[in-house]
Structure formats: C-alpha cells, structure tokens
Amino acid sequence: MAENPTKALGARTPWQVTRSVWYAMFMREAISRTMADRMGWFWMIFEPVAFVGIMIGVRSFIRGDRLIMNAEFIPWLIAGLMGFTLVREGMMRGMGAVDSNKALFAYRQVQPVDPVIVRNFLEGMLRSLVFLILIVGALMLGQDMYPDNTIRVMAAWFSLWSLGLGLGLFTSVAASLVPEVGKVIRMLSLPLMLLSGVILPLNSLPHWLLEYLMLNPIPHGLETLRLGFFDNYHVVPGTSMLYFWLFTFSLIALGLVMHLRFIDRLKAS
C-alpha cells in the first residue's frame, strides 16, 4: 500500500535539529565574512601577509634570528604568528558571537552556544586556508617552510583551534554578562602575543621567569607547531602537550557549564 502523503513526518532528533541550526548559521556567517565587503577576501589574505612582512622588517633591527636554534627565522615567525592568531581570533570572534546573534534566540532551536561554536569553526577554516597560502608563498620564495612532520603540524594546529574554542566559550559568557571584561581582554591581546613567544623566542629568558610564562598554554601549542616544521628545533624547556590539553579541556568544560548556567541571562541581556 502506498504511504499516505498527508501523514505527518516523524519528529527530528535533537542532533538533527542542532546540525540544521549549525549549517544555517555557518552559511550566514560565511556569507557575512566573505561577501559583505567586496574586498573581504583580499583583506583576509593581505592582512596576515602584511603583518608577517612588518614583523620580518622589525627583525632586521633586533636580529631575533640569532636566538633561534635549528630553525629558520621567517618560517619560525610565520608558524608562531598564524598559530597565535588562530587562538586570538577564536577568542575574539567568540566574545562577540552572543550579542551579535540575539535576534536568532527568538527561535527556541537556537541556543547562545551555537554561534560561538559556528564562528570558531568558520574562523578555523579561514585561518587554515590563509596558513596554507602563506606556506606555499614561502616555499615559492625559497624558504624552508615544508613541514618535517605533517601529522604533528596538523595535530598542533587543531590543538590551538581547540584552545581558541575554549577561550571563545568562556569569553562569550563573561563579556556578555560583564561588558568591561571584553575591553580588558582586548587590551591584553598584544601583551599576550609578546609573552607567548610569538615574535621573540622564550629560550633567552631566565629560568625563573620562564616557569611563570609557561603557565600560559599558548607557548606549548606554538612550540609543538614549530617542532612539526623543524625536527631538530630546540623547543622551550617545559613544553608539554599534556598540560596544554588538560588546560584546554578544562576551559571548554568551564565554558559549556557557564553557557548552561547563564543561558536565560544570555538570551535576555
């Protein structure tokens, strides 16, 4: 017997609903990021390339390449800048995700955590594309940018993206409930880049100071990413991906708990 066409379809599972929400929000964010401005793609690629160029110019004055063991300075710098930018943009994009999508919370299927996850996923894809373009460009210019251990590079890149997701989940709640938190985080982004060993290696610092700086998980991920490009690279003492992932998992769990705890205030604020 033919199935009755007027029969109501079965209810969708929660995962199907969530997947549909994520897909719709992803397309909305992707179009907004890449097509809202007719030069959006140009600036997306030109900005990191110009930043790397400026840092290389600064390097000619400070001679930072003399402090790096078993790695060429320009590839070392590119890996550090792109890895840090992945974390920073994940944090910054997540911080404004809730406030910029408040109109969508009128639909009960959309939760405040959804735009944070979608924005971080999109940011990871775009930064990965820019990173690949920089790698190809550096290789064409004769730089030793080909990774010695591709699996390690990919694992470290995913790890840094995960840290950005955890920071985005935390800051999206904190900055929405207390707007001053967002201003403080933006002020700290530049000092954080300097303290994470992005521009200058941390190996040259005293051991007593290095112990405190390595409480920051970002250098652990950046040093592992650089080690993937240079097998003989001398990483900063104390680098541990176990510590990195314990910190990252704890941060993601804290962010998700905060979203559950303050879900009503996030929708109403």
Side-chain angles (χ1 to χ4, degrees):
M1 183 187 307
E3 187 175 350
N4 184 1
T6 61
K7 183 179 179 180
L9 297 177
R12 293 190 298 172
T13 64
W15 166 243
Q16 289 175 324
V17 173
T18 301
R19 188 174 59 184
S20 298
V21 169
W22 285 354
Y23 176 76
M25 298 191 72
F26 175 82
M27 296 303 298
R28 178 175 179 266
E29 291 286 342
I31 294 173
S32 175
R33 286 289 305 279
T34 60
M35 298 183 182
D37 185 354
R38 60 182 178 180
M39 297 188 66
W41 280 106
F42 171 78
W43 289 113
M44 194 179 305
I45 298 172
F46 177 76
E47 182 181 1
V49 172
F51 189 51
V52 170
I54 293 172
M55 291 299 104
I56 293 173
V58 173
R59 163 256 190 182
S60 63
F61 294 98
I62 60 177
R63 301 300 297 171
D65 54 328
R66 294 180 178 177
L67 305 174
I68 301 172
M69 299 179 62
N70 303 324
E72 293 187 19
F73 181 77
I74 293 178
W76 179 91
L77 179 62
I78 291 175
L81 284 172
M82 293 306 300
F84 178 80
T85 303
L86 180 66
V87 177
R88 184 191 64 189
E89 290 302 310
M91 176 177 64
M92 294 299 184
R93 298 287 177 182
M95 187 165 56
V98 174
D99 290 337
S100 61
N101 288 275
K102 283 190 178 296
L104 298 178
F105 299 155
Y107 302 96
R108 61 183 180 86
Q109 296 91 340
V110 181
Q111 303 299 326
V113 72
D114 293 329
V116 181
I117 295 175
V118 170
R119 278 197 172 188
N120 274 270
F121 180 74
L122 175 62
E123 193 63 36
M125 290 183 62
L126 295 176
R127 292 293 161 180
S128 298
L129 175 61
V130 174
F131 195 22
L132 288 174
I133 292 174
L134 285 174
I135 291 175
V136 172
L139 289 172
M140 294 176 65
L141 294 175
Q143 297 293 326
D144 183 18
M145 198 68 193
Y146 192 83
D148 293 335
N149 190 327
T150 306
I151 300 300
R152 177 176 288 158
V153 169
M154 295 173 63
W157 187 254
F158 174 76
S159 301
L160 290 166
W161 174 83
S162 300
L163 177 60
L165 173 62
L167 289 169
L169 288 170
F170 173 79
T171 57
S172 62
V173 178
S176 296
L177 300 181
V178 185
E180 290 76 13
V181 172
K183 298 178 181 178
V184 173
I185 291 174
R186 292 185 180 91
M187 291 173 55
L188 293 177
S189 61
L190 179 58
L192 185 62
M193 180 175 68
L194 299 176
L195 297 176
S196 298
V198 176
I199 301 174
L200 291 175
L202 298 178
N203 281 318
S204 58
L205 298 176
H207 179 71
W208 66 268
L209 179 59
L210 196 58
E211 288 184 341
Y212 292 102
L213 293 181
M214 291 305 285
L215 295 176
N216 173 14
I218 299 178
H220 298 264
L222 296 183
E223 290 297 290
T224 304
L225 179 65
R226 288 161 170 162
L227 183 62
F229 282 97
F230 307 101
D231 272 338
N232 297 321
Y233 172 61
H234 184 66
V235 300
V236 176
T239 299
S240 171
M241 288 306 290
L242 176 60
Y243 170 79
F244 179 96
W245 275 108
L246 287 175
F247 189 99
T248 301
F249 279 137
S250 300
L251 194 59
I252 292 175
L254 175 62
L256 292 175
V257 169
M258 291 176 67
H259 269 273
L260 288 173
R261 172 63 179 81
F262 299 107
I263 185 171
D264 293 331
R265 291 182 60 182
L266 292 175
K267 287 185 175 182
S269 60

